[in-house]
Amino acid sequence: MTVIGYVHTRLGEDIAAIRAELTAAGCTAIYCDEQVPIRADWPHLDHALAAVLAGGTLLVCRLIHIGRSLEYLADLLATLDHRGVRLRALHEQLDTAEHGELLRQITHG
């Protein structure tokens, strides 16, 4: 099972510490968009999404590192679920394998 890490850093975040945390959590590859504006394209997220296969996990330290908005996060969760990809957020202790139905209810009302 492949574990792919992704992070979108904000100003002042310690990218080395975030990479270390993702590596310690089992990531085999980590993709990072450093200080890219929220409304701009996040090219490395596209690469991370392409790299994680069915049965794999997309891992982030914090949901803020992947969610541009609640609507975007809801769409992303639906896409990952459809592809059979698990999403884990370490700091929020969220895992779609365990909390998927709850997340769907929250994001889709």
Side-chain angles (χ1 to χ4, degrees):
M1 216 177 287
T2 305
V3 179
I4 301 295
Y6 176 75
V7 61
H8 173 261
T9 62
R10 297 172 293 154
L11 187 62
E13 286 188 300
D14 184 352
I15 187 63
I18 294 168
R19 285 182 178 275
E21 189 171 359
L22 290 171
T23 300
C27 288
T28 55
I30 299 170
Y31 296 84
C32 180
D33 286 309
E34 293 188 53
Q35 299 179 16
V36 176
I38 196 90
R39 300 280 183 225
D41 289 334
W42 296 1
H44 293 283
L45 176 57
D46 294 335
H47 296 297
L49 293 172
V52 67
L53 305 175
T57 300
L58 182 62
L59 182 65
V60 296
C61 286
R62 294 181 173 87
L63 282 177
I64 196 168
H65 289 157
I66 199 165
R68 298 169 184 239
S69 67
L70 186 56
E71 180 181 358
Y72 177 83
L73 185 57
D75 290 343
L76 180 62
L77 288 170
T79 299
L80 293 174
D81 186 49
H82 179 72
R83 290 181 47 204
V85 173
R86 171 183 177 188
L87 174 68
R88 287 183 55 215
L90 297 174
H91 289 232
E92 291 85 0
Q93 298 179 2
L94 290 175
D95 185 336
T96 56
E98 298 173 17
H99 307 105
E101 185 57 35
L102 175 62
L103 289 172
R104 280 188 288 281
Q105 289 176 9
I106 291 170
T107 57
H108 288 98

